[in-house]
């Protein structure tokens, strides 16, 4: 593989770090923001659009499926042809998808628009790898940590924002807002951020991309639709079996291809492999907070829990956790320089487990729920900020976007598992309050216990990750072997 370097974009001694971080971070923020703003209003859309619940659910499923495929593929393309170039493609896809969904109430066009938005999921790993390539070591750590934390921050901000906007305006306004933020981010990146100095070039692994696409579709479709199709249905079981077979074919093709979509030699390095495993459990625990917090506080007290809060208040319970993620990201970079990013990842998992432990027992007041959710946000933010530090320290420089893309894919897979398992748990123990069917308190506590267990597993895995060499911690990737 030939690596090309553009000397005009070689990192400078005093780069405009703040400006680059502002625009790249804004591009990273708007992606999870646009993905989560639909969650609070989803229950009202069947009536608004005159469609079935199953049909409306595809507004989320289409984004999930396209995002899962786009993240690793765009990461590899970014390494090959330019991280900034592919970051602009990702943000442009978000703008186009948001404008389409903002201009129509046709369910088919809405689903297409949401699918186009899924392409933008590659923005976060592309932004991380771009800043890692551009910034000198002493400045890159906090910038990378901040961009990585945007995945959680955007999700935490999206829910209360959607709650407020939906009370005052039609749901289309949510997508106009996302499109406007996306335009600002696109213009800032295009005009104010240079291209990465390193590009690998080469040919696109079309066969690998096709096999990976088929594998992820076969896996994620039953995870997202299993509760509706039935977990024991032949379709769900058949798709899960097909995903396992396709995964084997994909891995075989990657071993035999000279320029693979996913470099298995890199991905099986112990620090990267273990970090990706821990990332999946982090993704599970964080997404469960989104589905198990707002609905919890909005439930009526007659259910034995909940406070009858509005959609806006339900979303605002997540806001302190999101702000905590943003605040802790640069501090995480400082701590990682002292004790190592792998130990910081373990610390984040321990805090995450403590937050979920509190959520199990502290259910008596809204304040207790907010404190528990904030601790969960703090642990998630610390963990998310540490992950790219470990990846960048052990991946070849010309594979940064690809390596971070696979890490983002594992986080997304964890979120998909949380949606499937969490949905099944909450639907498995219910009570009737008039016409409403609500999960029991015990169902929520089981979900919180699963999240605490996932956090403990993430901590154990993180403690087994070898510490990064001091000279590469946080920012600098190892050079590609000749």
């Amino acid at each position: 593989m030939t690596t090309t370097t553009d000397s005009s974009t070689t990192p400078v001694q005093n780069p405009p770090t703040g400006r680059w971080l502002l625009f790249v971070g804004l591009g990273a923020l708007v992606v999870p923001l646009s993905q989560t703003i639909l969650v609070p209003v989803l229950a009202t859309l069947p009536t608004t659009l005159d469609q079935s619940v199953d049909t409306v659910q595809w507004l989320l499923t289409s984004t999930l499926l396209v995002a899962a495929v786009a993240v690793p593929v765009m990461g590899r393309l970014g390494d090959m042809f330019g991280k900034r170039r592919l970051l602009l493609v990702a943000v442009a896809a978000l703008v186009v998808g948001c404008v389409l969904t903002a201009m129509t109430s046709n369910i088919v066009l809405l689903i297409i628009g949401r699918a186009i938005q899924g392409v933008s999921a590659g923005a976060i790993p592309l932004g991380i790898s771009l800043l890692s390539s551009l910034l000198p070591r002493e400045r890159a750590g906090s910038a990378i940590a901040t961009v990585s934390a945007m995945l959680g921050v955007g999700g935490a901000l999206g829910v209360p924002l959607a709650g407020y906007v939906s009370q005052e305006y039609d749901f289309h306004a949510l997508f106009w807002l996302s499109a406007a933020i996306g335009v600002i981010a696109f213009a800032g990146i295009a005009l104010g951020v240079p291209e990465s100095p390193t590009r690998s070039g080469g040919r696109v692994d079309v066969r690998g991309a096709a096999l990976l696409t088929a594998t992820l579709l076969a896996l994620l479709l039953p995870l997202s639709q299993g509760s509706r199709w039935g977990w024991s249905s032949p379709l769900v079981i058949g798709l899960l079996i097909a995903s396992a077979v396709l995964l084997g074919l994909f891995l075989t093709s990657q071993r035999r291809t000279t320029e693979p979509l996913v470099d298995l030699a890199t991905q099986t390095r112990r620090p990267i492999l273990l970090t990706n495993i821990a990332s999946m459990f982090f993704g599970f625990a964080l997404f469960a907070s989104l589905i198990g917090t707002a609905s919890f506080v909005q439930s009526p007290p007659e259910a034995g829990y909940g406070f009858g809060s509005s959609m806006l208040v339900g979303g605002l319970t997540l806001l302190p956790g999101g702000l905590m993620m943003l605040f802790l990201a640069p501090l995480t970079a400082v701590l990682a320089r002292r004790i190592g990013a792998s130990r910081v990842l373990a610390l984040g998992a321990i805090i995450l487990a403590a937050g979920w432990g509190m959520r199990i027992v502290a259910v008596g007041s809204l304040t207790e729920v907010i404190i528990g959710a904030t601790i969960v946000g703090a642990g998630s933010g610390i963990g998310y900020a540490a992950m790219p530090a470990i990846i960048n320290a052990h991946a070849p420089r010309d594979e940064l976007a690809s390596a971070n893309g696979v890490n983002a894919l594992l986080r997304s897979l964890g979120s998909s598992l949380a949606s499937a398992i969490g949905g099944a748990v909450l639907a498995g123990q219910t009570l009737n309050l008039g016409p409403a069917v609500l999960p029991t308190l015990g169902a929520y506590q089981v979900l919180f216990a699963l999240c605490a267990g996932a956090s403990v597993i993430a901590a154990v895995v993180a403690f087994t990750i070898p510490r990064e060499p001091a000279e590469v911690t946080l920012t600098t990737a190892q050079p590609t072997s000749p």
Side-chain angles (χ1 to χ4, degrees), residues 134-146:
L134 291 175
L135 295 174
R137 184 183 310 160
E138 64 274 11
R139 297 194 180 191
S142 60
I144 293 169
T146 300

Side-chain angles (χ1 to χ4, degrees), residues 165-185:
V165 173
S166 62
Q167 289 182 359
E168 303 294 332
Y169 306 98
D170 180 75
F171 79 93
H172 294 90
L174 297 169
F175 295 106
W176 282 121
L177 178 61
S178 295
I181 299 173
V183 168
I184 296 172

Side-chain angles (χ1 to χ4, degrees), residues 137-454:
R137 184 183 310 160
E138 64 274 11
R139 297 194 180 191
S142 60
I144 293 169
T146 300
V147 172
S148 181
M150 287 300 172
L151 182 61
V153 175
L157 294 179
V159 177
L161 180 63
Y164 171 74
V165 173
S166 62
Q167 289 182 359
E168 303 294 332
Y169 306 98
D170 180 75
F171 79 93
H172 294 90
L174 297 169
F175 295 106
W176 282 121
L177 178 61
S178 295
I181 299 173
V183 168
I184 296 172
F186 182 93
I189 295 168
L191 299 176
V193 182
E195 181 56 275
S196 166
T198 304
R199 291 185 291 277
S200 64
R203 294 182 299 177
V204 179
D205 179 13
V206 177
R207 181 176 60 180
L211 283 171
L212 179 62
T213 299
T215 301
L216 292 173
L217 290 177
L219 174 62
L220 294 176
L221 263 177
L223 288 181
S224 62
Q225 300 295 321
S227 59
R228 294 171 176 80
W229 295 347
W231 289 106
S232 60
S233 67
L235 180 58
V236 168
I237 295 174
L239 284 172
L240 291 175
I241 294 173
S243 69
V245 174
L246 289 166
L247 177 61
L249 293 175
F250 171 72
L251 295 176
T252 300
S253 76
Q254 297 305 282
R255 292 190 184 98
R256 296 177 178 177
T257 303
T258 55
E259 296 183 79
L261 179 69
V262 176
D263 187 344
L264 297 182
T266 296
Q267 293 300 323
T268 53
R269 292 179 181 180
R270 186 182 176 192
I272 294 179
L273 178 63
L274 293 174
T275 300
N276 286 337
I277 293 172
S279 298
M280 185 172 66
F281 289 103
F282 265 94
F284 183 101
L286 178 59
F287 191 80
S289 183
L290 297 179
I291 65 174
T293 299
S295 60
F296 184 94
V297 302
Q298 289 174 235
S299 298
E302 292 79 8
Y305 63 93
F307 315 101
S309 303
S310 66
M311 185 186 300
L312 175 59
V313 173
L316 287 173
T317 59
L318 296 169
L319 185 59
L323 295 177
M324 188 65 70
M325 294 181 201
L326 188 62
F327 173 74
L328 289 175
L331 299 180
T332 299
V334 175
L335 184 61
R337 282 195 292 269
R338 295 183 179 181
I339 66 174
S342 59
R343 296 299 175 265
V344 173
L345 180 63
L347 174 63
I350 292 171
I351 295 173
L352 187 60
W356 282 116
M358 180 177 179
R359 289 295 308 274
I360 294 172
V361 298
V363 297
S365 71
L366 182 60
T367 300
E368 291 176 337
V369 173
I370 293 175
I371 293 174
T374 302
I375 296 173
V376 167
S380 301
I382 292 172
Y384 274 32
M387 291 170 194
I390 306 171
I391 299 295
N392 290 349
H394 295 279
R397 175 162 288 276
D398 59 354
E399 294 183 21
L400 290 183
S402 177
N404 281 287
V406 172
N407 180 256
L409 173 61
L410 268 293
R411 298 190 217 180
S412 177
L413 179 59
S415 298
S416 299
L417 290 171
S419 179
I421 295 174
V425 168
L426 295 181
Q429 302 180 44
T430 60
L431 55 86
N432 295 317
L433 279 180
V437 178
L438 300 174
T440 64
L441 174 60
Y444 276 106
Q445 290 172 322
V446 169
L447 175 60
F448 300 160
L450 290 174
C451 293

Side-chain angles (χ1 to χ4, degrees), residues 27-28 30-32 34-35 63 66-67 70-71 74 86-87 89-95 98 114-126:
V30 72
V31 172
S34 68
Q35 291 178 349
T63 308
V66 175
V71 167
M74 293 191 69
L86 269 294
L87 177 58
V89 171
V91 177
L94 181 135
V95 173
C98 285
R114 289 289 292 172
I116 295 172
Q117 290 174 42
V119 176
S120 67
I124 291 179
L126 286 165

